Amino acid sequence: MILISVTSSEIVATEGGKLLGKIVFTLSDGSMDILHTYAYESGRGIGSMLMSKAVEWANEYSYTIVPSCSFAKKYLDRIKGA
């Protein structure tokens, strides 16, 4: 089972103690700036799982997401168009 956890500067995906991917972000003035999205195993949807958690977390704490990372921007554009 894939576990997603949030720290003060990262969202991390692990499975059985193995790091599958992470998002690195900063928080400032009501914004969550997503700097990088890393998925270490392709084809499993890890990046999308991480971004889904980022959106959920940002909404819960009333942060606006700033997608400095190209993957984050593409993900947000895709879900806005859905």
Side-chain angles (χ1 to χ4, degrees), residues 3-79:
L3 301 175
I4 309 287
S5 59
V6 182
T7 71
S8 62
S9 63
E10 293 183 330
I11 300 172
V12 179
T14 58
E15 184 175 47
K18 180 182 178 185
L19 180 63
L20 300 178
K22 67 181 177 179
I23 285 177
V24 177
F25 65 88
T26 59
L27 300 174
S28 178
D29 299 324
S31 293
M32 176 188 201
D33 188 357
I34 298 178
L35 304 173
H36 301 285
T37 302
Y38 302 97
Y40 302 120
E41 292 187 16
S42 62
R44 294 187 64 190
I46 304 298
S48 293
M49 285 184 224
L50 289 165
M51 280 302 302
S52 177
K53 184 64 172 184
V55 169
E56 175 187 313
W57 191 87
N59 287 336
E60 182 178 342
Y61 294 98
S62 300
Y63 283 100
T64 300
I65 295 178
V66 177
S68 293
C69 160
S70 61
F71 181 84
K73 180 170 178 7
K74 288 177 191 173
Y75 179 90
L76 293 173
D77 287 346
R78 186 174 67 234
I79 65 169

